[in-house]
Amino acid sequence: MSSRSLASRNLNFLFHRPRVISNEFTTPPFQALYSTHIVGDKPILVRDFIHSALYHPKHGYFSQRSRSVGVLERSIKFNQLEGRKAYINHLDKVYKQSDTSWFTPVELFKPWYAHGIAEAIMRTANLSVPLKIYEIGGGSGTCAKGIMDYIMLNAPARVYNSLTYTSVEISPSLAEIQKETVGEVRSHLSKFKVECRDAADRSGWRDVEQQPCWVIMLEVLDNLPHDLIYSENQVLPWKEVWVEKQQDRKTLSELYKPLQDPLIKRCVEVMELDSNQSVSKVSSIWSKVFPKPRRCWLPTGCLKLLEVLHDALPKMSLIASDFSYLPDVSIPGERAPLVSTKKDGRSSDYKSYLEAKGDADIFFPTDFSLLERMDHYCSGWLKPHQNKSSKQGKKRRTLVLDTSSFMEEFGLPSKTRTKDGYNPLLDDFKNTKFYLSVPTHNIK
């Protein structure tokens, strides 16, 4: 997988930061060497290229950049700010004072963001059994501490005393920061642990966990490796995209092969489960008149992670939050990513994912409808070629909410409101959503 650092960019900053779009792909020599070193002599799948660019233990964007995920020294006092302009100015000042790439929403709105998630868990969990929480990619530990604080203060003592909170973190540097953050409250330490590993590696989960538990993934899906499929037109079948070195050994190019990778084939199956046949016929006729190439990004990293989680934690409840769309994407293809780097306080976006050389974040929008289908598919309820009329009832109950709707339901929006009524948590995060998924026994 690819866990955290798996943090998100602050959305307000994403929309309002100065943006510099490069017209040329100029990079220092050491970066070019690293980029071609990722690929080696044999072609690799796009997901493996992205994984290396983000998580290579020596050169990956997240593995060596613990400062890419910012930590605020103190919570923002929103009720002391006049309004939107004062909030933007405050953010600009914070970013200039820090060498961090971004602050996550859970950091910007601490402790209230984490408290909203904790309240959602408290309302839904069976508190008669010990509460087990897993967080995939815990960033700086702010979410873990906020949730544990909330449970300590608002739940019965027995719930807090029997709580276990496990962070599954791929970055060793972030794992250490998490321990320090949570350790600010001494009583949390006996209930919290960090497992520095890849959450999508089934062997790390050991035996199947038969007890109910919660899994939290905040801004994780956007940084999971994706694959890319390509077709010369709307009629011809998909081909999987590989990355290879060109003859000069310094630049990279794409190679197209027939679909053969099992993970890609499963993801395509799930993607096409809900296809409308009548729409497909119209599209097919239109494509013969106006043929054009197709490119589609597949969340294969998400599918692999969900397969592992459902196998290891069959009674898990899931809370995930991420981007539902991204602005100013110039890379072609459905669900295409932003590839963004930051230097001297200014952000710039590459026009090709092949330009990511360990110096750039690669983050994708989440198709929440597809996420729901993958969730049901991995839980064993939704299978390809299954007669829809034979479905016996959902194994999972799912809900997609805008961030503002989620926080109005479970959080305390008054805590992030400025003097004039402007609320950045509710007003600025229009391109993020929450996905909630809980098991149900509604199977007849």
Side-chain angles (χ1 to χ4, degrees):
M1 178 193 138
S2 347
S3 201
R4 196 102 154 152
S5 27
L6 289 170
S8 125
R9 283 92 339 236
N10 153 34
L11 298 181
N12 185 70
F13 195 67
L14 184 66
F15 282 110
H16 299 285
R17 69 187 181 188
R19 300 183 66 80
V20 180
I21 308 299
S22 301
N23 293 318
E24 297 180 355
F25 300 134
T26 56
T27 52
F30 82 92
Q31 292 180 346
L33 287 172
Y34 170 60
S35 180
T36 52
H37 177 69
I38 292 177
V39 178
D41 294 328
K42 294 182 179 180
I44 61 174
L45 283 165
V46 170
R47 69 170 180 261
D48 296 323
F49 176 85
I50 292 175
H51 188 278
S52 295
L54 293 177
Y55 305 110
H56 187 283
K58 290 186 178 179
H59 307 289
Y61 179 72
F62 287 125
S63 300
Q64 291 300 311
R65 288 168 173 79
S66 62
R67 290 294 296 169
S68 64
V69 183
V71 179
L72 291 175
E73 291 186 7
R74 59 186 64 85
S75 299
I76 298 175
K77 298 184 184 300
F78 295 93
N79 58 4
Q80 295 182 8
L81 298 174
E82 288 296 333
R84 184 185 186 92
K85 183 177 181 180
Y87 171 69
I88 298 300
N89 290 338
H90 180 79
L91 274 190
D92 287 344
K93 185 184 300 183
V94 168
Y95 272 96
K96 288 176 181 177
Q97 292 173 347
S98 172
D99 66 353
T100 190
S101 296
W102 64 76
F103 292 98
T104 65
V106 75
E107 189 72 32
L108 283 175
F109 301 103
K110 66 180 180 185
W112 316 115
Y113 197 93
H115 286 186
I117 295 169
E119 175 62 19
I121 293 174
M122 294 271 292
R123 288 194 206 174
T124 313
N126 178 4
L127 299 180
S128 65
V129 298
L131 183 58
K132 293 185 177 182
I133 299 175
Y134 295 92
E135 185 178 0
I136 311 300
S140 61
T142 297
C143 181
K145 181 180 181 298
I147 289 176
M148 296 181 78
D149 286 348
Y150 189 87
I151 293 173
M152 178 180 66
L153 296 172
N154 295 280
R158 59 177 175 77
V159 175
Y160 175 73
N161 292 335
S162 62
L163 168 69
T164 57
Y165 197 115
T166 303
S167 173
V168 182
E169 175 56 62
I170 201 169
S171 167
S173 57
L174 286 170
E176 290 304 314
I177 293 173
Q178 290 172 30
K179 293 176 185 177
E180 294 176 7
T181 301
V182 175
E184 292 174 7
V185 178
R186 186 176 297 274
S187 61
H188 290 348
L189 286 175
S190 62
K191 303 163 180 57
F192 178 81
K193 65 177 178 178
V194 181
E195 297 181 358
C196 198
R197 59 183 176 86
D198 184 342
D201 182 350
R202 177 61 183 88
S203 64
W205 293 95
R206 299 177 288 279
D207 297 335
V208 174
E209 173 60 73
Q210 297 292 353
Q211 297 301 313
C213 62
W214 281 85
V215 175
I216 300 170
M217 297 191 295
L218 305 182
E219 295 81 50
V220 168
L221 302 177
D222 64 331
N223 280 131
L224 291 180
H226 282 53
D227 273 290
L228 180 60
I229 52 176
Y230 169 82
S231 176
E232 294 179 16
N233 56 54
Q234 298 95 315
V235 179
L236 292 177
W238 289 111
K239 292 184 178 181
E240 57 191 38
V241 180
W242 293 62
V243 180
E244 65 176 352
K245 286 182 181 178
Q246 293 185 5
Q247 290 184 349
D248 62 9
R249 314 302 291 170
K250 295 181 180 180
T251 55
L252 302 175
S253 61
E254 293 181 344
L255 173 67
Y256 309 111
K257 299 183 180 182
L259 290 188
Q260 56 186 357
D261 178 75
L263 183 58
I264 292 178
K265 292 173 73 174
R266 291 200 301 277
C267 202
V268 171
E269 279 186 317
V270 177
M271 181 181 69
E272 295 179 344
L273 276 176
D274 204 30
S275 60
N276 186 306
Q277 292 186 354
S278 61
V279 173
S280 297
K281 290 180 180 179
V282 173
S283 176
S284 177
I285 295 172
W286 189 257
S287 65
K288 291 178 181 178
V289 180
F290 298 103
K292 62 179 182 179
R294 295 188 297 165
R295 294 169 70 86
C296 182
W297 291 86
L298 297 176
T300 45
C302 176
L303 180 61
K304 181 182 178 183
L305 176 59
L306 287 174
E307 287 177 339
V308 168
L309 291 175
H310 277 290
D311 183 62
L313 311 171
K315 295 182 180 179
M316 74 165 178
S317 296
L318 174 66
I319 294 183
S321 175
D322 231 302
F323 298 108
S324 56
Y325 70 89
L326 296 171
D328 306 327
V329 175
S330 59
I331 294 174
E334 186 178 352
R335 293 183 290 271
L338 275 174
V339 181
S340 180
T341 188
K342 187 176 181 181
K343 185 176 181 181
D344 299 328
R346 295 180 66 85
S347 296
S348 61
D349 295 339
Y350 291 128
K351 292 184 178 179
S352 169
Y353 69 95
L354 295 176
E355 295 303 310
K357 306 170 181 65
D359 66 331
D361 188 10
I362 307 171
F363 52 105
F364 294 81
T366 294
D367 181 338
F368 281 84
S369 176
L370 179 57
L371 173 62
E372 183 179 42
R373 293 204 298 278
M374 290 193 297
D375 187 25
H376 285 306
Y377 171 84
C378 295
S379 71
W381 171 64
L382 187 61
K383 289 295 182 182
H385 315 302
Q386 185 184 44
N387 184 349
K388 291 186 178 182
S389 64
S390 67
K391 291 176 182 176
Q392 300 298 309
K394 292 186 177 182
K395 287 187 176 180
R396 301 191 69 78
R397 189 162 53 249
T398 58
L399 180 66
V400 178
L401 292 172
D402 293 335
T403 294
S404 58
S405 299
F406 179 90
M407 289 301 170
E408 285 176 334
E409 176 65 29
F410 299 109
L412 291 171
S414 62
K415 299 295 186 179
T416 55
R417 187 180 299 132
T418 61
K419 290 180 179 180
D420 67 358
Y422 162 69
N423 192 325
L425 179 57
L426 303 184
D427 298 337
D428 283 358
F429 284 65
K430 301 300 185 182
N431 63 339
T432 60
K433 293 183 178 181
F434 273 84
Y435 178 74
L436 288 80
S437 172
V438 299
T440 176
H441 301 290
N442 179 29
I443 303 174
K444 300 178 181 178

